[in-house]
Amino acid sequence: MASCPECGGGVPAANVERGEILPCPDCGAELEVRSVEPLVLELAPEIQEDWGE
């Protein structure tokens, strides 16, 4: 179990891979697995529309 960096709630994170996106069951934030060993979760970057620039 990992902690959500947004709300501190518990996030089930068994058998995850680097780059995987996990939803926080408490606040709904999308979290990206930045590291597996040690387990590090960060808020996932929001996908922005590409205007071709």
Side-chain angles (χ1 to χ4, degrees), residues 15-49:
N15 300 321
V16 295
E17 295 181 11
R18 186 170 186 247
E20 189 172 338
I21 303 295
L22 304 173
C24 174
D26 290 337
C27 70
E30 291 187 339
L31 307 171
E32 181 177 3
V33 178
R34 301 293 290 189
S35 172
V36 175
E37 194 65 40
L39 183 60
V40 177
L41 300 177
E42 292 183 0
L43 290 174
E46 292 184 26
I47 297 174
Q48 299 181 2
E49 190 167 340

